[in-house]
Amino acid sequence: MKKIAIAGALLMSVGLAQAEEGAPHFILGGALSVDTSNFADELDDDLAGLGFDVDDDTGLAVGLDIHAGLGFMEASSFRVGYRKFGQQSAEVGVVGLPGTATAELDADGIYAALDLLFPVSDTFYLGGTLGLQDWEIDLDVEGYGDSEDGNDLFFGVIGKMLFQDQTGALTMSINRYSFELDGSDLEYTPISVGVEFFL
């Protein structure tokens, strides 16, 4: 945790020192993602030794991100937004008995993030993301529900392909989230593609 905090402070100091290189501008953007997690593995660990069998539901889990913020250095930005993670599910059965129950997990919340990017070419920028995600998680098992909330740091890699007229960019990112739940750590790895507009 300390290493991530130190890395974030360094990213921010470098970004502020170089902010004058590009005129600040407002950004508005969104993205869709394919989200994978360790939900089924964590559920299997929690139920280990109790006679349950857990199978991961490999259906496509699509997440959503919408954000606004301030851009600088052509492609870097500080943004705040809302993140809806793709629903995670697993089939839970009792060993030796027919039938299963479906466990579904939904997570969402607001966040703040710093993206610090550097040019690879005239139009393509690559860099890193460090942010703080405020999250709420709801678990439903055939009508029985439970929820938890909290906030944790996240990090990732981001690339931006600027439009020719410099009015926006296509974005591609991979982030890693780790939410500290009661008794387990839920990890998400979204792969996102989106668009940003420079206002």
Side-chain angles (χ1 to χ4, degrees):
M1 185 69 76
K2 289 183 179 179
K3 290 182 179 179
I4 293 175
I6 291 171
L10 289 172
L11 281 174
M12 186 169 291
S13 64
V14 172
L16 292 174
Q18 298 184 13
E20 295 181 358
E21 292 184 9
H25 52 273
F26 289 105
I27 61 169
L28 184 64
L32 292 175
S33 62
V34 176
D35 297 354
T36 58
S37 80
N38 65 341
F39 170 58
D41 292 336
E42 287 295 305
L43 190 60
D44 192 33
D45 289 343
D46 291 342
L47 299 176
L50 300 177
F52 290 96
D53 181 45
V54 179
D55 290 324
D56 189 9
D57 184 344
T58 56
L60 189 64
V62 178
L64 171 68
D65 176 302
I66 54 174
H67 60 266
L70 183 66
F72 58 94
M73 290 173 55
E74 285 82 35
S76 297
S77 61
F78 176 78
R79 56 192 166 95
V80 293
Y82 169 78
R83 183 81 164 80
K84 169 68 174 173
F85 294 88
Q87 186 181 76
Q88 306 295 304
S89 60
E91 297 297 322
V92 182
V94 178
V95 176
L97 295 178
T100 61
T102 301
E104 296 178 337
L105 185 140
D106 290 292
D108 69 345
I110 59 174
Y111 70 87
L114 174 68
D115 304 312
L116 189 59
L117 292 92
F118 299 93
V120 175
S121 69
D122 289 342
T123 58
F124 182 66
Y125 287 70
L126 186 65
T129 297
L130 183 66
L132 179 66
Q133 177 74 50
D134 186 75
W135 51 266
E136 181 176 358
I137 289 176
D138 296 310
L139 175 65
D140 182 272
V141 183
E142 302 295 337
Y144 170 77
D146 192 15
S147 64
E148 288 191 50
D149 56 49
N151 51 74
D152 287 287
L153 293 173
F154 68 93
F155 61 93
V157 176
I158 184 170
K160 293 185 182 182
M161 180 70 71
L162 300 186
F163 299 155
Q164 291 295 328
D165 58 4
Q166 306 289 309
T167 59
L170 294 175
T171 64
M172 301 141 284
S173 65
I174 301 175
N175 289 307
R176 186 60 179 265
Y177 300 81
S178 181
F179 301 151
E180 295 183 9
L181 305 179
D182 184 18
S184 61
D185 288 333
L186 180 66
E187 296 178 349
Y188 278 94
T189 306
I191 300 175
S192 305
V193 175
V195 64
E196 283 184 349
F197 297 100
F198 304 160
L199 307 177

